[in-house]
């Protein structure tokens, strides 16, 4: 089954990464994969945020890339209340974390 990362943005509010809360405990290597959204989840999440005026960006994730990634790196540091929101959409609990990193087009142009 395919999985997707979802980002939302709207003007002055900035850009947020959406993470699906896991209801069950999994192996650490599976955490990122399980926190990504399925196609059925997208059918609920995208209309919810679009109806509120947010711009939604969806990126496909493959399982090989997911093994080396971690969601929510900001939670291990001092995170502000404005940088984290939890939203219940039908039966999905969505964690919104402010994305303070570089924009995607800047990441691709960076020289190490």
């Amino acid at each position: 089954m395919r999985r997707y990362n979802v980002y939302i943005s709207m003007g002055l509010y900035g850009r947020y990464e959406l993470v699906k809360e896991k209801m069950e405990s999994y192996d650490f290597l599976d955490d990122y994969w399980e926190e990504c959204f399925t196609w059925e989840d997208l059918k609920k999440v995208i209309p919810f945020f679009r109806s509120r005026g947010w711009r939604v960006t969806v990126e496909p994730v493959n399982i090989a890339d997911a093994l080396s990634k971690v969601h929510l790196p900001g939670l291990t540091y001092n995170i502000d209340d404005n940088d984290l929101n939890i939203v219940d959409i039908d039966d999905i609990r969505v964690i919104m974390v402010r994305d303070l990193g570089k924009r995607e087009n800047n990441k691709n142009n960076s020289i190490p």
Side-chain angles (χ1 to χ4, degrees), residues 40-93:
E40 292 301 315
D41 297 336
L42 293 181
K43 291 180 187 178
K44 300 172 188 175
V45 172
I46 291 175
F48 178 85
F49 285 104
R50 282 192 176 158
S51 70
R52 285 154 178 78
W54 290 82
R55 187 179 62 143
V56 179
T57 306
V58 177
E59 298 175 352
V61 176
N62 68 38
I63 198 160
D65 290 340
L67 294 177
S68 64
K69 294 183 179 179
V70 176
H71 277 121
L72 303 177
L75 288 182
T76 58
Y77 303 104
N78 188 12
I79 196 163
D80 190 359
D81 287 341
N82 296 327
D83 295 338
L84 178 70
N85 295 305
I86 297 175
V87 179
D88 290 322
I89 304 171
D90 290 337
D91 59 341
I92 304 169
R93 190 166 204 179

Side-chain angles (χ1 to χ4, degrees), residues 8-16 52 54 82-83 98-99:
I8 59 171
S9 61
M10 186 171 81
L12 298 175
Y13 293 109
R15 184 172 193 243
Y16 284 82
R52 285 154 178 78
W54 290 82
N82 296 327
D83 295 338
R98 186 179 301 270
D99 184 1

Side-chain angles (χ1 to χ4, degrees), residues 91-104:
D91 59 341
I92 304 169
R93 190 166 204 179
V94 178
I95 303 169
M96 299 171 47
V97 180
R98 186 179 301 270
D99 184 1
L100 298 175
K102 297 179 182 178
R103 295 239 182 242
E104 190 62 34

